Coordinates of all heavy atoms in Angstrom, one line a residue:
M225 N 0.9 -1.2 0.0 CA 0.0 0.0 0.0 C 0.9 1.2 0.0 O 1.9 1.3 0.7 CB -0.9 0.0 1.2 CG -1.8 1.2 1.3 SD -2.9 1.4 2.7 CE -3.1 -0.2 3.4
I226 N 0.5 2.2 -0.8 CA 1.2 3.5 -0.9 C 0.2 4.6 -0.6 O -0.9 4.6 -1.1 CB 1.8 3.7 -2.3 CG1 2.7 2.6 -2.7 CG2 2.5 5.1 -2.4 CD1 3.2 2.6 -4.2
I227 N 0.6 5.5 0.3 CA -0.2 6.6 0.7 C 0.6 7.9 0.5 O 1.7 8.0 1.0 CB -0.7 6.5 2.1 CG1 -1.4 5.2 2.3 CG2 -1.5 7.7 2.6 CD1 -1.7 4.9 3.8
R228 N 0.0 8.9 -0.2 CA 0.7 10.1 -0.4 C -0.3 11.3 -0.4 O -1.5 11.1 -0.9 CB 1.5 10.2 -1.7 CG 2.6 9.2 -1.8 CD 3.5 9.5 -2.9 NE 4.5 8.4 -2.9 CZ 5.0 7.8 -4.0 NH1 4.5 8.1 -5.2 NH2 5.9 6.8 -3.9
T229 N 0.1 12.4 0.1 CA -0.8 13.6 0.1 C -0.3 14.5 -1.0 O 0.9 14.8 -1.1 CB -0.8 14.3 1.4 OG1 -1.3 13.4 2.4 CG2 -1.7 15.5 1.4
I230 N -1.2 15.1 -1.8 CA -0.9 16.0 -2.9 C -1.9 17.1 -3.0 O -3.1 16.9 -2.5 CB -0.8 15.1 -4.2 CG1 -0.2 16.0 -5.3 CG2 -2.1 14.5 -4.6 CD1 0.2 15.2 -6.5
T231 N -1.5 18.2 -3.5 CA -2.4 19.4 -3.5 C -3.0 19.5 -4.9 O -2.3 19.5 -5.9 CB -1.7 20.7 -3.2 OG1 -1.1 20.5 -1.9 CG2 -2.6 21.9 -3.2
I232 N -4.3 19.7 -5.0 CA -5.0 20.0 -6.3 C -4.6 21.4 -6.7 O -4.7 22.3 -6.0 CB -6.6 19.9 -6.1 CG1 -7.0 18.5 -5.6 CG2 -7.2 20.3 -7.4 CD1 -6.7 17.4 -6.6
Q233 N -4.1 21.4 -7.9 CA -3.4 22.7 -8.4 C -4.2 23.4 -9.5 O -3.9 24.6 -9.8 CB -2.0 22.4 -8.8 CG -1.2 21.9 -7.7 CD 0.2 21.5 -8.2 OE1 0.7 22.1 -9.2 NE2 0.8 20.5 -7.6
N234 N -5.1 22.7 -10.2 CA -5.7 23.4 -11.3 C -6.8 24.3 -10.8 O -7.4 24.2 -9.8 CB -6.3 22.4 -12.3 CG -7.3 21.5 -11.7 OD1 -7.1 20.9 -10.6 ND2 -8.5 21.3 -12.3
K235 N -7.0 25.4 -11.6 CA -7.9 26.5 -11.2 C -9.3 26.1 -10.8 O -9.8 26.6 -9.8 CB -8.0 27.5 -12.3 CG -8.7 28.8 -12.0 CD -8.7 29.7 -13.2 CE -9.5 31.0 -12.9 NZ -9.4 31.9 -14.0
L236 N -9.9 25.1 -11.5 CA -11.3 24.7 -11.2 C -11.4 23.5 -10.2 O -12.5 23.1 -9.9 CB -12.0 24.4 -12.5 CG -12.1 25.5 -13.5 CD1 -12.7 25.0 -14.8 CD2 -13.0 26.6 -12.9
G237 N -10.2 23.0 -9.8 CA -10.3 21.9 -8.8 C -10.7 20.6 -9.5 O -10.6 20.5 -10.7
L238 N -11.2 19.7 -8.7 CA -11.6 18.4 -9.2 C -13.0 18.5 -9.7 O -13.9 17.8 -9.2 CB -11.4 17.4 -8.1 CG -11.2 15.9 -8.5 CD1 -10.2 15.7 -9.6 CD2 -10.9 15.1 -7.3
H239 N -13.3 19.3 -10.7 CA -14.6 19.4 -11.3 C -14.9 18.2 -12.3 O -14.1 17.3 -12.3 CB -14.7 20.8 -12.1 CG -13.6 20.9 -13.2 ND1 -13.9 20.5 -14.5 CD2 -12.3 21.2 -13.2 CE1 -12.9 20.7 -15.3 NE2 -11.9 21.1 -14.5
A240 N -16.0 18.3 -13.0 CA -16.5 17.1 -13.8 C -15.4 16.6 -14.7 O -15.2 15.4 -14.8 CB -17.8 17.5 -14.5
R241 N -14.8 17.5 -15.5 CA -13.9 17.0 -16.5 C -12.6 16.4 -15.9 O -12.1 15.4 -16.2 CB -13.4 18.1 -17.5 CG -12.7 17.5 -18.7 CD -11.9 18.6 -19.5 NE -10.7 19.0 -18.8 CZ -9.6 18.3 -18.6 NH1 -9.5 17.1 -19.1 NH2 -8.6 18.8 -17.9
A242 N -12.1 17.1 -14.9 CA -10.9 16.6 -14.2 C -11.2 15.3 -13.5 O -10.4 14.4 -13.5 CB -10.4 17.7 -13.2
A243 N -12.4 15.2 -12.9 CA -12.7 13.9 -12.2 C -12.8 12.8 -13.2 O -12.4 11.7 -12.9 CB -14.1 14.1 -11.5
S244 N -13.4 13.1 -14.4 CA -13.5 12.1 -15.4 C -12.1 11.6 -15.9 O -11.9 10.4 -16.0 CB -14.2 12.7 -16.6 OG -14.3 11.8 -17.7
V245 N -11.2 12.5 -16.0 CA -9.8 12.2 -16.4 C -9.2 11.3 -15.3 O -8.5 10.4 -15.6 CB -9.0 13.4 -16.8 CG1 -7.5 13.1 -17.0 CG2 -9.6 14.1 -18.0
F246 N -9.4 11.7 -14.1 CA -8.8 11.0 -12.9 C -9.3 9.6 -12.9 O -8.6 8.6 -12.8 CB -9.2 11.7 -11.6 CG -8.6 11.1 -10.4 CD1 -7.4 11.5 -9.9 CD2 -9.2 10.0 -9.8 CE1 -6.8 10.9 -8.8 CE2 -8.6 9.4 -8.7 CZ -7.4 9.9 -8.2
V247 N -10.7 9.4 -13.1 CA -11.3 8.1 -13.0 C -10.8 7.2 -14.2 O -10.5 6.0 -14.0 CB -12.8 8.2 -13.0 CG1 -13.5 6.9 -13.2 CG2 -13.2 8.8 -11.6
K248 N -10.7 7.8 -15.4 CA -10.3 7.1 -16.6 C -8.8 6.6 -16.3 O -8.5 5.4 -16.7 CB -10.4 8.0 -17.8 CG -10.0 7.3 -19.1 CD -10.2 8.2 -20.3 CE -9.9 7.4 -21.5 NZ -10.0 8.2 -22.7
T249 N -8.0 7.4 -15.8 CA -6.6 7.0 -15.5 C -6.6 5.9 -14.5 O -5.9 4.9 -14.6 CB -5.8 8.2 -15.0 OG1 -5.8 9.2 -16.0 CG2 -4.4 7.8 -14.7
A250 N -7.3 6.1 -13.4 CA -7.4 5.1 -12.3 C -7.9 3.7 -12.8 O -7.4 2.7 -12.4 CB -8.3 5.6 -11.2
A251 N -8.9 3.8 -13.7 CA -9.5 2.5 -14.2 C -8.5 1.7 -15.0 O -8.7 0.5 -15.2 CB -10.7 2.9 -15.0
G252 N -7.4 2.3 -15.4 CA -6.4 1.6 -16.2 C -5.5 0.7 -15.3 O -4.6 0.0 -15.9
F253 N -5.7 0.7 -14.0 CA -4.9 -0.1 -13.1 C -5.7 -1.1 -12.4 O -6.8 -0.9 -12.1 CB -4.1 0.9 -12.2 CG -3.2 1.8 -12.8 CD1 -3.6 3.1 -13.2 CD2 -1.9 1.4 -13.2 CE1 -2.8 4.0 -13.8 CE2 -1.1 2.3 -13.8 CZ -1.5 3.5 -14.2
A254 N -5.0 -2.2 -12.1 CA -5.7 -3.3 -11.3 C -5.8 -2.9 -9.8 O -6.7 -3.4 -9.1 CB -4.9 -4.6 -11.5
S255 N -4.9 -2.1 -9.3 CA -4.9 -1.7 -7.9 C -6.1 -1.0 -7.5 O -6.7 -0.3 -8.3 CB -3.7 -0.9 -7.6 OG -2.5 -1.6 -7.8
S256 N -6.5 -1.1 -6.2 CA -7.6 -0.3 -5.7 C -7.0 1.1 -5.5 O -5.9 1.3 -5.1 CB -8.2 -0.8 -4.4 OG -7.2 -0.8 -3.4
I257 N -7.9 2.1 -5.7 CA -7.4 3.5 -5.6 C -8.5 4.3 -4.7 O -9.7 4.3 -5.0 CB -7.3 4.2 -6.9 CG1 -6.1 3.4 -7.7 CG2 -7.0 5.7 -6.8 CD1 -6.0 3.7 -9.2
K258 N -8.0 5.0 -3.7 CA -8.8 5.8 -2.8 C -8.3 7.2 -2.8 O -7.1 7.4 -2.8 CB -8.8 5.2 -1.4 CG -9.8 5.9 -0.5 CD -9.9 5.1 0.8 CE -9.3 5.8 1.9 NZ -9.5 5.1 3.2
I259 N -9.2 8.1 -2.9 CA -8.8 9.6 -2.8 C -9.6 10.2 -1.7 O -10.8 9.9 -1.6 CB -8.9 10.3 -4.1 CG1 -8.5 11.8 -4.0 CG2 -10.3 10.1 -4.7 CD1 -8.4 12.5 -5.3
E260 N -9.0 10.9 -0.8 CA -9.8 11.5 0.3 C -9.3 12.9 0.6 O -8.1 13.3 0.4 CB -9.8 10.6 1.5 CG -8.4 10.3 2.0 CD -8.4 9.3 3.2 OE1 -9.1 9.5 4.2 OE2 -7.7 8.3 3.0
N261 N -10.2 13.8 1.1 CA -9.8 15.0 1.7 C -10.2 15.0 3.2 O -10.6 13.9 3.7 CB -10.4 16.2 0.9 CG -11.9 16.2 0.9 OD1 -12.6 15.6 1.8 ND2 -12.6 16.9 0.0
K262 N -10.1 16.1 3.8 CA -10.4 16.1 5.3 C -11.8 15.7 5.6 O -12.1 15.2 6.7 CB -10.0 17.4 5.9 CG -10.9 18.6 5.4 CD -10.5 19.9 6.1 CE -11.4 21.0 5.5 NZ -11.1 22.3 6.1
D263 N -12.8 15.9 4.7 CA -14.2 15.6 5.0 C -14.7 14.3 4.4 O -15.7 13.8 5.0 CB -15.0 16.8 4.5 CG -14.7 18.1 5.1 OD1 -14.4 18.1 6.3 OD2 -14.7 19.1 4.4
R264 N -14.2 13.9 3.3 CA -14.8 12.7 2.6 C -13.7 11.9 2.0 O -12.6 12.3 1.8 CB -15.6 13.3 1.4 CG -16.8 14.1 1.9 CD -17.6 14.5 0.6 NE -18.8 15.2 1.0 CZ -19.0 16.5 0.9 NH1 -18.1 17.3 0.3 NH2 -20.1 17.1 1.3
D265 N -14.1 10.6 1.7 CA -13.2 9.8 0.9 C -14.0 9.2 -0.3 O -15.2 9.2 -0.3 CB -12.6 8.7 1.7 CG -13.6 7.7 2.3 OD1 -14.8 7.8 2.1 OD2 -13.2 6.9 3.1
A266 N -13.3 8.8 -1.3 CA -13.9 8.3 -2.5 C -13.2 7.2 -3.2 O -12.0 7.1 -3.0 CB -14.0 9.5 -3.5
D267 N -13.9 6.3 -3.8 CA -13.4 5.3 -4.7 C -12.9 6.0 -5.9 O -13.6 6.6 -6.7 CB -14.4 4.2 -5.0 CG -13.9 3.1 -5.9 OD1 -12.9 3.3 -6.6 OD2 -14.6 2.0 -5.8
G268 N -11.6 5.9 -6.2 CA -11.0 6.6 -7.3 C -11.4 6.1 -8.7 O -11.0 6.7 -9.7
K269 N -12.2 5.0 -8.7 CA -12.6 4.5 -10.0 C -14.1 4.8 -10.3 O -14.6 4.3 -11.2 CB -12.3 3.0 -10.0 CG -10.8 2.7 -10.0 CD -10.5 1.2 -10.2 CE -9.0 1.0 -10.1 NZ -8.7 -0.4 -10.4
K270 N -14.7 5.6 -9.4 CA -16.1 5.9 -9.6 C -16.3 7.4 -9.7 O -16.0 8.1 -8.7 CB -16.9 5.3 -8.4 CG -16.9 3.8 -8.3 CD -17.8 3.3 -7.2 CE -17.8 1.8 -7.2 NZ -18.6 1.2 -6.2
I271 N -16.8 7.8 -10.8 CA -16.9 9.3 -11.1 C -17.7 10.0 -10.1 O -17.3 11.1 -9.7 CB -17.4 9.5 -12.6 CG1 -17.4 11.0 -13.0 CG2 -18.8 8.9 -12.7 CD1 -16.0 11.5 -13.2
M272 N -18.9 9.6 -9.7 CA -19.7 10.3 -8.8 C -19.0 10.4 -7.4 O -19.1 11.5 -6.8 CB -21.1 9.7 -8.7 CG -22.0 9.8 -9.9 SD -22.1 11.6 -10.4 CE -23.0 12.3 -9.1
S273 N -18.4 9.4 -7.0 CA -17.7 9.4 -5.8 C -16.6 10.4 -5.7 O -16.4 11.2 -4.8 CB -17.1 8.0 -5.5 OG -16.5 7.9 -4.3
V274 N -15.8 10.5 -6.8 CA -14.7 11.5 -6.9 C -15.3 12.9 -7.0 O -14.8 13.8 -6.3 CB -13.8 11.2 -8.2 CG1 -12.8 12.3 -8.4 CG2 -13.1 9.8 -8.0
M275 N -16.3 13.1 -7.8 CA -16.9 14.5 -7.9 C -17.5 15.0 -6.6 O -17.4 16.2 -6.3 CB -18.0 14.5 -9.0 CG -17.4 14.4 -10.4 SD -18.7 14.4 -11.6 CE -19.6 15.9 -11.3
L276 N -18.0 14.1 -5.8 CA -18.6 14.5 -4.5 C -17.5 14.9 -3.4 O -17.9 15.5 -2.4 CB -19.4 13.3 -3.9 CG -20.8 13.1 -4.6 CD1 -21.5 11.9 -4.1 CD2 -21.7 14.4 -4.5
L277 N -16.2 14.7 -3.7 CA -15.2 15.2 -2.8 C -15.2 16.7 -2.8 O -14.8 17.3 -1.8 CB -13.8 14.7 -3.3 CG -13.4 13.3 -3.0 CD1 -12.1 13.0 -3.7 CD2 -13.4 13.0 -1.5
Q278 N -15.6 17.3 -3.9 CA -15.6 18.8 -4.0 C -14.3 19.4 -3.6 O -14.2 20.3 -2.9 CB -16.7 19.4 -3.1 CG -18.1 18.9 -3.5 CD -19.2 19.4 -2.6 OE1 -18.9 19.9 -1.4 NE2 -20.4 19.4 -3.0
A279 N -13.2 18.8 -4.3 CA -11.9 19.2 -4.0 C -11.5 20.4 -4.9 O -11.3 20.3 -6.1 CB -10.9 18.1 -4.2
A280 N -11.5 21.6 -4.3 CA -11.2 22.9 -5.0 C -9.7 23.0 -5.1 O -8.9 22.3 -4.5 CB -11.8 24.0 -4.3
C281 N -9.3 24.0 -5.9 CA -7.9 24.4 -6.1 C -7.3 24.6 -4.7 O -7.9 25.3 -3.9 CB -7.8 25.6 -6.9 SG -6.1 26.1 -7.3
G282 N -6.2 24.1 -4.4 CA -5.5 24.2 -3.1 C -5.9 23.2 -2.1 O -5.3 23.2 -1.0
T283 N -6.8 22.3 -2.4 CA -7.2 21.3 -1.5 C -6.1 20.2 -1.4 O -5.7 19.7 -2.5 CB -8.5 20.6 -1.9 OG1 -9.6 21.6 -1.9 CG2 -9.0 19.5 -0.9
D284 N -5.7 19.8 -0.2 CA -4.9 18.6 -0.1 C -5.7 17.4 -0.1 O -6.7 17.3 0.7 CB -4.1 18.7 1.2 CG -3.0 19.8 1.2 OD1 -2.5 20.1 0.2 OD2 -2.7 20.3 2.3
V285 N -5.3 16.4 -1.0 CA -6.0 15.1 -1.0 C -5.0 14.0 -0.7 O -3.8 14.2 -1.0 CB -6.7 14.9 -2.4 CG1 -7.8 15.9 -2.6 CG2 -5.7 14.9 -3.5
T286 N -5.5 13.0 -0.1 CA -4.6 11.8 0.2 C -5.0 10.7 -0.8 O -6.1 10.3 -0.9 CB -4.8 11.3 1.6 OG1 -4.4 12.4 2.5 CG2 -3.9 10.2 1.9
L287 N -4.0 10.2 -1.6 CA -4.2 9.1 -2.5 C -3.6 7.9 -1.8 O -2.6 7.9 -1.3 CB -3.4 9.4 -3.8 CG -3.8 10.6 -4.6 CD1 -2.8 10.7 -5.8 CD2 -5.2 10.4 -5.1
T288 N -4.4 6.8 -2.0 CA -4.0 5.5 -1.5 C -4.1 4.5 -2.7 O -5.2 4.4 -3.2 CB -4.8 5.0 -0.3 OG1 -4.8 6.0 0.7 CG2 -4.3 3.7 0.2
T289 N -3.0 3.8 -3.0 CA -3.1 2.8 -4.0 C -2.7 1.5 -3.4 O -1.7 1.5 -2.6 CB -2.2 3.1 -5.2 OG1 -0.9 3.3 -4.8 CG2 -2.7 4.3 -6.0
E290 N -3.4 0.4 -3.7 CA -3.0 -0.9 -3.1 C -3.3 -2.0 -4.2 O -4.4 -2.1 -4.7 CB -3.8 -1.2 -1.9 CG -3.4 -2.4 -1.2 CD -4.1 -2.6 0.2 OE1 -5.0 -1.9 0.5 OE2 -3.6 -3.5 0.9
G291 N -2.3 -2.7 -4.5 CA -2.4 -3.8 -5.4 C -1.2 -4.1 -6.2 O -0.1 -3.5 -5.9
P292 N -1.3 -4.9 -7.3 CA -0.1 -5.4 -8.0 C 0.6 -4.3 -8.8 O 1.8 -4.4 -9.0 CB -0.7 -6.4 -9.0 CG -2.1 -6.1 -9.1 CD -2.5 -5.5 -7.8
D293 N -0.1 -3.2 -9.1 CA 0.6 -2.1 -9.9 C 0.4 -0.8 -9.1 O 0.3 0.3 -9.7 CB 0.0 -2.0 -11.3 CG -1.5 -1.9 -11.3 OD1 -2.2 -1.9 -10.3 OD2 -2.1 -1.9 -12.4
E294 N 0.5 -0.9 -7.8 CA 0.2 0.3 -7.0 C 1.2 1.4 -7.2 O 0.9 2.6 -7.2 CB 0.2 0.0 -5.5 CG 1.5 -0.6 -5.0 CD 1.4 -1.2 -3.6 OE1 0.3 -1.6 -3.2 OE2 2.4 -1.2 -2.9
E295 N 2.5 1.1 -7.5 CA 3.5 2.2 -7.7 C 3.2 2.9 -9.0 O 3.2 4.1 -9.1 CB 4.9 1.6 -7.7 CG 6.0 2.6 -7.8 CD 6.0 3.6 -6.7 OE1 6.0 3.2 -5.5 OE2 6.1 4.9 -7.0
A296 N 2.9 2.2 -10.1 CA 2.6 2.8 -11.4 C 1.4 3.6 -11.3 O 1.3 4.7 -11.9 CB 2.5 1.7 -12.4
A297 N 0.4 3.1 -10.6 CA -0.9 3.8 -10.4 C -0.7 5.1 -9.7 O -1.1 6.2 -10.1 CB -1.9 3.0 -9.7
M298 N 0.1 5.1 -8.6 CA 0.4 6.3 -7.8 C 1.1 7.3 -8.7 O 0.8 8.5 -8.7 CB 1.2 6.0 -6.6 CG 1.5 7.2 -5.7 SD 0.1 8.0 -5.0 CE -0.4 6.9 -3.7
Q299 N 2.1 6.9 -9.4 CA 2.9 7.8 -10.2 C 2.0 8.4 -11.3 O 2.1 9.6 -11.5 CB 4.1 7.0 -10.9 CG 5.1 8.0 -11.5 CD 5.7 8.9 -10.6 OE1 6.3 8.5 -9.5 NE2 5.6 10.2 -10.8
A300 N 1.2 7.6 -11.9 CA 0.3 8.2 -13.0 C -0.6 9.2 -12.4 O -0.8 10.3 -13.0 CB -0.4 7.1 -13.7
L301 N -1.2 9.0 -11.3 CA -2.2 9.9 -10.7 C -1.5 11.1 -10.1 O -2.0 12.3 -10.3 CB -3.0 9.2 -9.6 CG -3.9 8.1 -10.1 CD1 -4.5 7.3 -9.0 CD2 -5.0 8.7 -11.0
E302 N -0.3 11.0 -9.6 CA 0.5 12.2 -9.1 C 0.8 13.0 -10.3 O 0.7 14.3 -10.2 CB 1.7 11.7 -8.4 CG 1.6 11.3 -7.0 CD 2.9 11.0 -6.3 OE1 3.7 10.3 -6.9 OE2 3.1 11.6 -5.2
N303 N 1.3 12.4 -11.4 CA 1.6 13.2 -12.6 C 0.4 13.9 -13.1 O 0.5 15.1 -13.6 CB 2.2 12.3 -13.7 CG 3.6 11.7 -13.3 OD1 4.2 12.3 -12.4 ND2 4.0 10.7 -14.0
L304 N -0.8 13.3 -13.1 CA -2.0 13.9 -13.6 C -2.4 15.1 -12.8 O -2.7 16.2 -13.4 CB -3.1 12.8 -13.6 CG -4.5 13.3 -14.1 CD1 -4.4 13.5 -15.6 CD2 -5.5 12.2 -13.8
I305 N -2.3 15.0 -11.5 CA -2.6 16.1 -10.6 C -1.6 17.2 -10.8 O -2.0 18.4 -10.9 CB -2.8 15.6 -9.2 CG1 -4.0 14.7 -9.0 CG2 -2.9 16.8 -8.2 CD1 -4.1 14.0 -7.7
N306 N -0.3 16.9 -10.8 CA 0.7 17.9 -10.9 C 0.7 18.6 -12.3 O 1.1 19.7 -12.4 CB 2.1 17.3 -10.7 CG 2.3 17.0 -9.2 OD1 1.8 17.7 -8.3 ND2 3.1 16.0 -9.0
D307 N 0.1 17.9 -13.3 CA 0.0 18.5 -14.6 C -1.3 19.2 -14.8 O -1.8 19.6 -15.9 CB 0.1 17.4 -15.7 CG 0.1 17.9 -17.1 OD1 0.8 18.9 -17.3 OD2 -0.6 17.4 -18.0
K308 N -2.0 19.4 -13.6 CA -3.3 20.2 -13.6 C -4.4 19.5 -14.5 O -5.2 20.2 -15.1 CB -3.1 21.7 -13.9 CG -2.1 22.3 -13.0 CD -1.9 23.8 -13.4 CE -0.9 24.4 -12.4 NZ -0.7 25.8 -12.7
F309 N -4.3 18.2 -14.6 CA -5.3 17.4 -15.4 C -5.3 17.9 -16.8 O -6.3 17.7 -17.5 CB -6.7 17.6 -14.8 CG -6.8 17.1 -13.4 CD1 -6.7 18.0 -12.3 CD2 -7.1 15.8 -13.1 CE1 -6.8 17.5 -11.0 CE2 -7.1 15.3 -11.8 CZ -7.0 16.2 -10.8
G310 N -4.1 18.4 -17.3 CA -4.0 18.8 -18.7 C -4.6 20.1 -19.0 O -4.7 20.5 -20.2
E311 N -5.1 20.8 -18.0 CA -5.7 22.1 -18.2 C -4.6 23.2 -18.2 O -3.6 23.1 -17.6 CB -6.7 22.4 -17.1 CG -7.8 21.4 -17.1 CD -8.8 21.6 -15.9 OE1 -8.6 22.5 -15.1 OE2 -9.7 20.8 -15.8
E312 N -4.9 24.3 -19.0 CA -3.9 25.3 -19.1 C -3.7 26.2 -17.8 O -2.7 26.7 -17.6 CB -4.2 26.2 -20.3 CG -4.0 25.4 -21.6 CD -4.1 26.3 -22.8 OE1 -4.0 27.5 -22.7 OE2 -4.4 25.8 -23.9
E313 N -4.8 26.3 -17.1 CA -4.7 27.1 -15.8 C -5.1 26.2 -14.6 O -5.7 25.3 -14.7 CB -5.7 28.2 -15.9 CG -5.3 29.2 -16.9 CD -6.2 30.5 -16.9 OE1 -6.9 30.7 -15.8 OE2 -6.3 31.2 -17.9

């Protein structure tokens, strides 16, 4: 199991499009993926669950990956968040 905290950096936070990209990326891995903030936690492979986190720009989220490809999953999700979900701002 790998657990890391990372800050949402894109201007709009974990809105619908960003959540969709997150879930699509997470779904590509066999490992279980959990994302949580101070108030809620979510299954990283379920779009509604991720959207309900309401993680705005500047929110610290904790990612947990567990399974056979946990390191690759964590790296991909960290890269996605650090790249602001591919958004320009």
